[in-house]
Amino acid sequence: MALLGLIKRVSRISRNNSRVRVYPARYFQSRDLSSSNTFHGKDAKLPVLIVGAGPVGLVLSILLTKLGVKCALVDKATCFSKHPQAHFINNRSMEIFRKLDGLAGEIERSQPPVDLWRKFIYCTSLSGSTLGTVDHMQPQDFEKVVSPASVAHFSQYKLTSLMLKRLENLGFNVHSSKESDGLELDSVVAGKILMGHECVAIDANKESVTATVAFLKGGKRMERNIQCSLLVGADGAGSAVRRLTNVEMRGERDLQKLISVHFISRELGEYLINNRPGMLFFIFNTGGIGVLVAHDLLQGEFVLQIPYYPPQQSLSDFSTEMCRMLIFNLVGHELSDLDVADIKPWVMHAEVAEKFMCCENRVILAGDAAHRFPPAGGFGMNTGIQDAHNLAWKIAALVQGSAKSSILNTYETERRPIALFNTSLSIQNFRAAMSVPSALGLDPTIANSVHRFINKTVGSILPTGLQKAILDKVFAIGRAQLSESLLNESNPLGHQRLSRLKSIFDGGKSLQLQFPAEDLGFRYQEGAIVPDNESGAGDPEAPSGRRRDYVPCAEPGSRLPHMYVKVLSDSTREVIVSTLDLISIDKVEFLLIISPLQESYELARATFEVAKEFKANVKVCVIWPSSSDDGVVRDSKSALAPCENVVDVMEVKEESGGEASWWSICKLTERGSILVRPDEHIAWRMKSSVPLEPTLHMRDVFNIILGKQ
């Protein structure tokens, strides 16, 4: 009966959700990657080629290498960028980084102190009046109750450097475009990061993918073909892989165009540390408007974001000298050590690729290549890192033969809905940011409407210079709303606007930094999971644009809840870890969590037996309740002999005196059980009983998870 119920439930899930693409059984049989010599044998190709050596590509290469999958990276850039770019790392990404040879710890030690970046500040200039301050850190953010990791503020180029160090420790070599002069065309590329290599063509068939990459050798443009089993496009918002495979983006384009000015001023950093430390500064005055990102106040590293309106404005209008004058205006005084390092334009989009898999499922999109969001909330890089975490174990399971190729379909099934949700949330957050200038009488939609009107009417008649003069005049009139004579408490209109602004800040309706409920609580509704009839979570709650606290959840598809546990062993040394640490990063291994009950031991034995059939690895974790009864022998290994991959742990109660047990946090009874995937998401669970026929039941569970059903 249990088996029949499982099959009915899975069938119901498939019928009721239109996002699943249904294929005939012969489809996978005829093209299954794992059943061919694609990954094995004397003539094996490179298993995985990653296009793009940004954070997503680098994280994926680290994860794959740790899981025993050979890969290589190519990037069209000749060197790694020193532009700060993304900088906010959320809890979930930091949890992943904890397992990458101490990466999270190194980030925490290297980042600026949290008191220097916890606030967003709204002002008329950096030395002028403060319009409002929002502190985005709450006491629970430091307590590590719901996560063993805290959020971080760390520039992307610094993160890239730390990732490269870990890849080098794993045997990777970085080849610059100059070093490629000595790299033979037929040389093995596994374990290499080839800079200055641009992917210019992709040819995929049922057997392999051939990527043609162009590079300079001896000053001449050369091409080489790299044959691989899978190609992952992690090459950013302007993805060549996406373009070459004709994958379209869906969503809102051109939300805003901006100029990004990267500059250094230790003088400004020191001033802000002493007067008004923060991460983001929203500056509004009659001379200009901009958002200043303080990447590192201690080092005086900043990026200024300025609205940009082409074709009336061009990049040449933003000369170094012009940017210096604008910075001085927004700061409120001149800076003696100002060094403008880089000036570049960019366009804000809110789009998701129509599909994440293409070309016989051998080409996969990840990160900004698959989705591009407004920077509001830091969803871009973090969503991409979690894409890589989801994808890595599935590729490894396929390469190593425990899964069928259909497991790769679950990457899109699981990650695309998350990307769509995060797109909605980032748009809401972006619009919340726009509520502040609107309250000050500067409605951004009016500025955009004026710009569109000029482009559609006089744009084809008047000279560009005259169009620019008209646009500048219109914007100057708009910025007049920010004059001190108007924007003060004594002026009735100014008082009204400042009161409206205070209401926005007090109500949490401005731009938000943290979204714990979404960052930790995202859940896969379908994919490499076994849904159950007892699920109470339902569809994800619509994004509100406001910060919501994370509530631990053990529904299938959810991230495993965090709790500190003490590892029970013969050693005298006390080892306390997070439940998340019980999942291995070095092999594709599932984790079965049970209580020390005889019926649960039977389930564990059945799981070991089934895993062996599937050539899968399983570890069993027995969680013992916290108890002062030292007479209890907490050892399950003898009960589960001859199975050896067993760990006994005991709950560690919070110092605050919290009495919640592991099973109550998970909303299960102690007769429940949880099977966790290698990416720390729950694949299957039983709430309060063990299946009547555990071997048959677990065989069906693994069939579903590993794509064999």
Side-chain angles (χ1 to χ4, degrees):
M1 291 297 290
L3 174 60
L4 181 60
L6 175 65
I7 293 171
K8 286 181 178 178
R9 288 194 295 271
V10 173
S11 299
R12 175 181 55 81
I13 292 294
S14 299
R15 285 196 307 271
N16 293 346
N17 201 312
S18 60
R19 288 192 306 248
V20 178
R21 300 191 307 187
V22 181
Y23 299 93
R26 64 181 182 280
Y27 179 85
F28 293 121
Q29 293 167 1
S30 65
R31 63 200 302 276
D32 190 68
L33 280 65
S34 58
S35 61
S36 68
N37 290 323
T38 300
F39 299 105
H40 311 285
K42 208 180 293 183
D43 300 322
K45 314 296 185 294
L46 176 71
V48 182
L49 176 66
I50 301 167
V51 179
V56 176
L58 294 175
V59 166
L60 180 58
S61 61
I62 294 171
L63 292 169
L64 288 174
T65 304
K66 282 183 165 292
L67 292 171
V69 179
K70 290 183 179 180
C71 60
L73 297 99
V74 297
D75 196 296
K76 69 178 181 180
T78 55
C79 60
F80 290 97
S81 173
K82 289 295 183 182
H83 195 286
Q85 295 175 285
H87 57 96
F88 180 68
I89 308 173
N90 68 22
N91 291 96
R92 186 64 188 124
S93 294
M94 286 293 281
E95 288 177 351
I96 297 167
F97 290 169
R98 286 176 76 244
K99 295 189 173 182
L100 303 186
D101 305 319
L103 178 57
E106 192 166 358
I107 290 170
E108 289 175 350
R109 293 189 298 273
S110 304
Q111 71 175 346
V114 68
D115 285 341
L116 298 185
W117 55 267
R118 61 190 295 163
K119 296 178 181 177
F120 290 177
I121 295 170
Y122 300 79
C123 54
T124 57
S125 76
L126 296 183
S127 53
S129 302
T130 299
L131 301 171
T133 300
V134 179
D135 188 342
H136 291 281
M137 301 300 287
Q138 297 183 5
Q140 63 265 34
D141 296 331
F142 305 99
E143 294 170 358
K144 297 189 175 181
V145 173
V146 297
S147 172
S150 298
V151 299
H153 172 48
F154 197 62
S155 298
Q156 181 173 318
Y157 78 92
K158 297 177 181 178
L159 176 62
T160 296
S161 178
L162 297 185
M163 289 178 177
L164 286 171
K165 190 164 66 175
R166 278 148 183 82
L167 275 172
E168 288 167 3
N169 291 339
L170 291 170
F172 272 71
N173 296 305
V174 178
H175 289 260
S176 67
S177 54
K178 289 182 179 179
E179 290 170 327
S180 294
D181 284 355
L183 194 65
E184 296 300 325
L185 288 177
D186 59 353
S187 61
V188 176
V189 297
K192 291 183 173 63
I193 303 173
L194 304 179
M195 303 302 293
H197 283 60
E198 181 180 4
C199 183
V200 295
I202 295 171
D203 180 23
N205 55 47
K206 292 182 179 180
E207 299 303 320
S208 65
V209 181
T210 300
T212 302
V213 295
F215 61 100
L216 293 176
K217 182 170 182 174
K220 294 182 179 179
R221 186 180 187 275
M222 304 283 288
E223 290 185 354
R224 68 181 294 170
N225 290 331
I226 301 176
Q227 205 165 24
C228 57
S229 298
L230 296 171
L231 184 148
V232 179
D235 51 340
S239 172
V241 173
R242 189 181 66 233
R243 174 175 50 80
L244 291 168
T245 53
N246 297 314
V247 175
E248 298 291 332
M249 298 296 281
R250 300 280 185 260
E252 297 187 43
R253 291 183 58 81
D254 297 347
L255 289 173
Q256 192 170 23
K257 294 181 174 69
L258 299 110
I259 294 289
S260 177
V261 184
H262 177 206
F263 69 92
I264 307 294
S265 173
R266 288 184 178 272
E267 180 185 331
L268 178 58
E270 186 175 340
Y271 171 80
L272 291 173
I273 288 172
N274 294 328
N275 292 278
R276 47 173 68 162
M279 176 193 283
L280 297 186
F281 297 82
F282 300 82
I283 310 166
F284 306 93
N285 64 44
T286 55
I289 295 171
V291 179
L292 184 71
V293 184
H295 280 269
D296 193 328
L297 290 179
L298 294 172
Q299 295 179 358
E301 185 167 29
F302 302 89
V303 171
L304 177 63
Q305 306 286 4
I306 313 162
Y308 170 51
Y309 296 92
Q312 291 78 20
Q313 294 177 334
S314 65
L315 182 59
S316 60
D317 292 329
F318 295 86
S319 64
T320 299
E321 187 55 34
M322 184 272 189
C323 289
R324 286 174 61 87
M325 298 308 296
L326 183 57
I327 291 167
F328 292 159
N329 169 65
L330 296 176
V331 170
H333 57 79
E334 293 192 1
L335 300 167
S336 61
D337 66 343
L338 176 62
D339 177 18
V340 176
D342 189 24
I343 303 167
K344 63 181 183 181
W346 64 282
V347 183
M348 186 188 298
H349 303 288
E351 298 179 304
V352 176
E354 60 182 345
K355 54 187 176 182
F356 287 11
M357 316 280 297
C358 60
C359 302
E360 303 284 344
N361 281 3
R362 289 186 178 275
V363 177
I364 305 166
L365 299 177
D368 286 356
H371 41 72
R372 43 195 191 188
F373 313 134
F379 290 103
M381 181 179 71
N382 289 295
T383 304
I385 287 164
Q386 291 145 33
D387 288 344
H389 196 221
N390 179 287
L391 182 59
W393 77 269
K394 294 174 180 178
I395 291 176
L398 175 61
V399 170
Q400 293 161 10
S402 60
K404 293 288 187 180
S405 61
S406 55
I407 195 171
L408 295 182
N409 292 315
T410 68
Y411 165 69
E412 179 179 315
T413 303
E414 293 177 353
R415 293 304 302 168
R416 192 168 183 275
I418 301 300
L420 290 168
F421 184 92
N422 287 349
T423 302
S424 298
L425 187 52
S426 60
I427 290 174
Q428 283 191 336
N429 207 23
F430 170 68
R431 289 177 178 154
M434 295 300 100
S435 68
V436 172
S438 295
L440 295 172
L442 294 169
D443 190 339
T445 60
I446 295 177
N448 291 333
S449 297
V450 169
H451 183 229
R452 283 195 298 270
F453 177 77
I454 291 174
N455 288 338
K456 290 180 178 179
T457 55
V458 299
S460 60
I461 304 170
L462 298 179
T464 302
L466 186 54
Q467 293 180 51
K468 182 177 183 299
I470 295 171
L471 197 63
D472 288 346
K473 187 66 176 176
V474 171
F475 290 166
I477 293 171
R479 290 196 301 272
Q481 307 292 316
L482 302 171
S483 66
E484 291 185 7
S485 61
L486 177 60
L487 199 61
N488 66 75
E489 293 289 353
S490 301
N491 185 298
L493 181 57
H495 173 75
Q496 182 187 53
R497 288 177 174 174
L498 291 172
S499 296
R500 193 182 308 153
L501 202 59
K502 185 177 185 301
S503 174
I504 290 171
F505 295 142
D506 291 347
K509 298 176 184 177
S510 60
L511 179 72
Q512 298 298 300
L513 176 65
Q514 291 205 69
F515 293 88
E518 290 78 14
D519 293 342
L520 294 173
F522 67 87
R523 182 168 69 94
Y524 303 135
Q525 302 289 319
E526 57 186 349
I529 61 170
V530 182
D532 60 41
N533 282 332
E534 300 174 280
S535 176
D539 291 332
E541 190 175 339
S544 67
R546 311 273 186 92
R547 171 174 171 147
R548 298 182 300 192
D549 288 335
Y550 163 73
V551 177
C553 174
E555 305 279 352
S558 301
R559 155 198 169 273
L560 182 71
H562 153 73
M563 181 183 195
Y564 284 115
V565 293
K566 181 167 72 173
V567 178
L568 303 175
S569 67
D570 297 333
S571 172
T572 56
R573 186 170 65 93
E574 186 176 80
V575 177
I576 294 178
V577 299
S578 166
T579 45
L580 297 171
D581 296 328
L582 299 170
I583 296 102
S584 174
I585 194 76
D586 297 314
K587 56 183 173 180
V588 179
E589 182 178 74
F590 292 86
L591 178 73
L592 179 68
I593 302 177
I594 59 172
S595 289
L597 301 172
Q598 185 57 44
E599 58 195 278
S600 298
Y601 292 156
E602 292 298 324
L603 174 66
R605 290 191 193 93
T607 304
F608 276 124
E609 178 185 336
V610 170
K612 189 174 180 181
E613 294 174 14
F614 282 82
K615 301 177 184 176
N617 297 307
V618 168
K619 176 164 65 179
V620 169
C621 171
V622 181
I623 293 192
W624 295 79
S626 176
S627 172
S628 58
D629 182 6
D630 293 331
V632 176
V633 178
R634 302 181 181 90
D635 181 10
S636 300
K637 292 180 181 177
S638 56
L640 288 171
C643 304
E644 296 180 350
N645 200 8
V646 179
V647 59
D648 287 288
V649 302
M650 186 172 70
E651 300 167 347
V652 174
K653 293 297 177 68
E654 299 171 32
E655 291 182 7
S656 58
E659 293 301 317
S661 70
W662 166 253
W663 298 107
S664 63
I665 288 172
C666 294
K667 299 179 177 61
L668 308 177
T669 73
E670 65 173 8
R671 297 179 67 232
S673 47
I674 299 172
L675 184 68
V676 189
R677 307 188 322 190
D679 63 352
E680 300 165 8
H681 280 255
I682 294 170
W684 164 90
R685 60 123 189 233
M686 293 292 287
K687 292 190 76 169
S688 58
S689 63
V690 171
L692 295 176
E693 298 180 82
T695 301
L696 288 175
H697 188 94
M698 296 312 293
R699 190 172 289 130
D700 281 329
V701 166
F702 275 90
N703 262 321
I704 293 167
I705 296 167
L706 296 173
K708 295 193 173 185
Q709 181 160 301

